[in-house]
Structure formats: structure tokens, C-alpha cells
Amino acid sequence: RLSDTEASSAGAGGLKMSSEAIDYVKKPAIDFIKESWKLMRRCTKPDATEFAKIAQATSVGFFIMGFIGFFVKLIFIPINNIIVGMG
């Protein structure tokens, strides 16, 4: 004898359930692909000046983050030595 879950997945009822499950996954994936293609069609390749501005902004960001990391490390090395030295 089949249990309720096995019986519901067998036969025509089971086909309907798996079809709904496939549609549940398939529809968002298809929508995502359609939206991605729309975005790709709207995007344009940057010209030289726009690329230079983006590259400059990115390099300034890297430079600032590097200095922040350097100064944080510079401050915490002596603090760490004091804490470890006391132990």
C-alpha cells in the first residue's frame, strides 16, 4: 500500500505537482534572463574620458582604503604588543 505522499506523486496528480514545481523554478529564471538581456541591450561601452574618470575614482578609492588599513594596523600593533606583553 502507498502512503499519502507516494500516492499523490503517482499518476496524473503527480504529473501536475511536478509541472507546478518546474514552473515555480522556470518562470523566475526566464524572467531573470529577459531582464538581463534588456539591461545588456541598454548598456553602452564607455568612451575614453568616462573610462579615465572611472579608473581614477577606483584608484583613489584603493589608495584611501589602503591608507586606512595601514593606519589601523599601525595603531593596533603597539596596542597588541602591550596586551600580549602583559600576559
Side-chain angles (χ1 to χ4, degrees):
R1 183 154 166 27
L2 295 175
S3 69
D4 291 336
T5 57
E6 291 172 337
S8 68
S9 66
L15 181 62
K16 183 179 180 192
M17 289 296 286
S18 70
S19 174
E20 289 174 2
I22 290 171
D23 288 342
Y24 181 76
V25 173
K26 190 171 124 179
K27 182 169 177 10
I30 290 172
D31 290 342
F32 175 75
I33 291 170
K34 286 180 182 177
E35 293 293 322
S36 297
W37 276 111
K38 276 187 197 177
L39 177 67
M40 291 299 291
R41 283 193 297 263
R42 288 192 68 191
C43 291
T44 59
K45 189 174 179 181
D47 59 354
T49 57
E50 185 179 6
F51 181 77
K53 286 181 183 178
I54 293 170
Q56 184 181 9
T58 303
S59 61
V60 167
F62 272 106
F63 188 70
I64 291 170
M65 291 303 290
F67 265 108
I68 290 172
F70 173 74
F71 284 117
V72 167
K73 190 73 170 174
L74 193 66
I75 291 169
F76 279 102
I77 287 175
I79 293 173
N80 191 23
N81 286 339
I82 292 170
I83 293 172
V84 173
M86 292 176 123

